Amino acid sequence: QQCEAPSAGCTYGMFNYEKCVCECIKPFCPDANGDCVVPLDNCGGNPWEGCTRGLDCPWWGSLSSGDMCNTGSKVPAGVWKIFNTREICCGVHSPFSSVCNDKGPNGPVFDPNKPSITPPSGAFGTEDVTLKFDLNGLPNDMDITKLTTNVLATLNYILAQLKEREPDLQVTGINERACRGRKLGQQRQLRMVERELLRDASICYTVEVANNVNDKEYETLIVAETRASSDVVLDEIRTKLDYMNVGVEIG
């Protein structure tokens, strides 16, 4: 007998057709009807930990583009709607997009109308927090600037999540900057992998933070939050590369 998904879907999760159950985003667990609506956080770990991107991982609306759906094994914090396929995700997340299901040399068009940090009024001063994202395994001819908007928008999202826990955090600006010792995207190392010339590169940003609130060390908090969310950034970049038909696996 063929397994049928609930008519209303899984509220805070995704239906697994092989197991015929709803698998839930933490902290939600199945209720008596099997739907992911009970926030008990006691029904196991991440159900998609061992999934394969593009095969059986969940999909969700991209954090960096209104014209793109993303996939990966770890659902980002604050994302509660996930889908079994890119097609379903695009139909819900970008129903009027002409490119969400397409791939091409430039990938989807970047939509800046996404979560952002609003500069505060009357800030007394700022301090700079430098963040660097190291990318390994890019094609040698890859234009790194095609990835920077996705990284910037994802960084905005990460900081917005941090601000929900730290309401006094005031980010007054996020600026792309040259990484110390070389220009943005300049190759650090070239190597041959399966006859393809690959390179490593870095993308750097300066986050300006108002320094007049509670004497908190926001630099430590921002760096720790970004490191903890590194998989979110990588999944955004991997999906962008998928859309661009760049067949490499970065780390």
Side-chain angles (χ1 to χ4, degrees), residues 7 36-37 42 44 51 76-77 81 84 89 123 129 131 136 143 149 169 179 194 205 213 216-217 236 239:
S7 58
C36 300
V37 292
N42 65 354
C51 71
K81 293 297 294 181
N84 292 75
C89 178
V129 179
L131 300 174
N136 305 315
D143 181 2
T149 51
L169 172 66
C179 295
E194 295 181 356
Y205 293 95
V213 213
K216 281 196 174 183
E217 293 188 6
E236 284 288 320
T239 300

Side-chain angles (χ1 to χ4, degrees), residues 85-241:
T85 66
R86 183 205 303 268
E87 290 73 22
I88 297 174
C89 178
C90 288
V92 175
H93 175 62
S94 309
F96 304 108
S97 172
S98 60
V99 298
C100 187
N101 277 309
D102 294 338
K103 294 184 177 183
N106 296 311
V109 177
F110 172 65
D111 179 0
N113 188 23
K114 280 303 191 181
S116 60
I117 305 298
T118 303
S121 58
F124 284 49
T126 61
E127 60 178 307
D128 292 341
V129 179
T130 300
L131 300 174
K132 184 172 76 167
F133 300 91
D134 291 326
L135 306 176
N136 305 315
L138 291 170
N140 186 40
D141 58 354
M142 176 74 200
D143 181 2
I144 194 72
T145 60
K146 291 182 178 179
L147 303 177
T148 55
T149 51
N150 294 75
V151 176
L152 177 59
T154 308
L155 179 57
N156 255 317
Y157 175 86
I158 293 169
L159 293 174
Q161 293 294 310
L162 177 60
K163 184 172 173 60
E164 288 187 3
R165 302 195 305 275
E166 299 286 343
D168 289 334
L169 172 66
Q170 299 288 356
V171 175
T172 59
I174 305 176
N175 301 300
E176 188 179 317
R177 54 163 290 178
C179 295
R180 179 178 297 180
R182 62 182 180 277
K183 296 180 180 179
L184 179 65
Q186 182 177 342
Q187 65 190 45
R188 278 190 325 205
Q189 179 183 4
L190 292 178
R191 60 192 187 280
M192 291 295 294
V193 178
E194 295 181 356
R195 297 184 180 180
E196 184 174 10
L197 194 61
L198 303 179
R199 69 179 174 120
D200 301 339
S202 298
I203 301 174
C204 296
Y205 293 95
T206 297
V207 180
E208 297 177 358
V209 184
N211 58 11
N212 62 318
V213 213
N214 296 337
D215 294 324
K216 281 196 174 183
E217 293 188 6
Y218 283 119
E219 178 175 5
T220 302
L221 289 174
I222 290 172
V223 171
E225 185 76 7
T226 305
R227 284 176 176 168
S229 304
S230 60
D231 285 337
V232 177
V233 178
L234 278 176
D235 278 338
E236 284 288 320
I237 294 174
R238 286 167 179 153
T239 300
K240 175 74 172 186
L241 293 173

